[in-house]
Amino acid sequence: MANQNPVPTDEEALTGLAKETGYALKQAGLMAAVAESCTGGLVGHLITEIPGSSDWFLGSAGVYSYEAKERLLGVDGGVLLRDGAVNATVARQMAFGALREYDADVAVSITGVAGPGGTVEKPMGLVYLHLAARDGTDRAEDAVWSADRRGNKLLSAQCALEMLLSYAKDKAD
């Protein structure tokens, strides 16, 4: 995991990225879903700002609590109790849960510590993302952002959209 210090982007720039992602998903004939924890629905918000996003977007599960992760996406409660919600295993289970529950072609998840706060083991800005697809694709990303709460959420949303965009472009080729 690398410490990453990109300049946080703004919502307007992310809307442009969401449009590009949507175009690529539509061109590839893919339907996407999102499972969000630390971003609180930001990715779903950015996507649904785009007219016609229902052509390629099924929905976003905002699963902030342990109970929501477990009930709505099937995240293992034992893992949550033992390791907490901020780890690669939970991110993977969230992505596969969204893939299953939305019957999507591809899903991306985000869990992390937006801030303020954190611990030595799980510092502010730590985020785990995961992309899962019906074709068996199983990709993990993680980062430690160095922004404030809003910036960490924006950077995490950007990373999730970039993961979806990369997957869609690979499928369209």
Side-chain angles (χ1 to χ4, degrees):
M1 176 183 332
N3 188 11
Q4 302 186 20
N5 296 301
V7 176
T9 189
D10 62 17
E11 215 172 293
E12 187 174 321
L14 286 180
T15 300
L17 177 59
K19 284 180 186 175
E20 183 182 1
T21 300
Y23 177 78
L25 286 163
K26 188 173 180 179
Q27 289 300 111
L30 299 169
M31 295 298 290
V34 180
E36 302 184 66
S37 186
C38 65
T39 50
L42 179 58
V43 177
H45 164 73
L46 292 166
I47 288 171
T48 58
E49 286 292 291
I50 301 164
S53 57
S54 60
D55 290 343
W56 51 272
F57 182 63
L58 294 165
S60 176
V63 289
Y64 211 69
S65 71
Y66 283 18
E67 294 80 14
K69 288 173 181 67
E70 191 173 359
R71 266 187 279 148
L72 299 175
L73 298 177
V75 173
D76 184 327
V79 171
L80 289 166
L81 291 175
R82 184 183 66 242
D83 302 325
V86 180
N87 62 69
T89 301
V90 169
R92 184 174 191 272
Q93 290 181 5
M94 286 172 60
F96 277 98
L99 188 69
R100 179 186 62 252
E101 293 303 319
Y102 284 100
D103 193 24
D105 298 306
V106 60
V108 68
S109 68
I110 307 165
T111 188
V113 182
T119 65
V120 172
E121 298 84 24
K122 296 180 182 181
M124 177 175 155
L126 173 64
V127 64
Y128 293 91
L129 300 99
H130 204 94
L131 182 137
R134 187 176 291 173
D135 67 6
T137 300
D138 189 358
R139 295 181 189 159
E141 296 276 338
D142 57 68
V144 178
W145 310 125
S146 313
D148 61 8
R149 181 178 181 82
R150 184 172 189 279
N152 290 335
K153 289 171 67 173
L154 290 168
L155 289 164
S156 297
Q158 178 179 334
C159 189
L161 289 167
E162 288 171 347
M163 289 176 78
L164 285 169
L165 176 60
S166 174
Y167 177 79
K169 283 182 172 181
D170 287 348
K171 290 296 153 190
D173 292 340

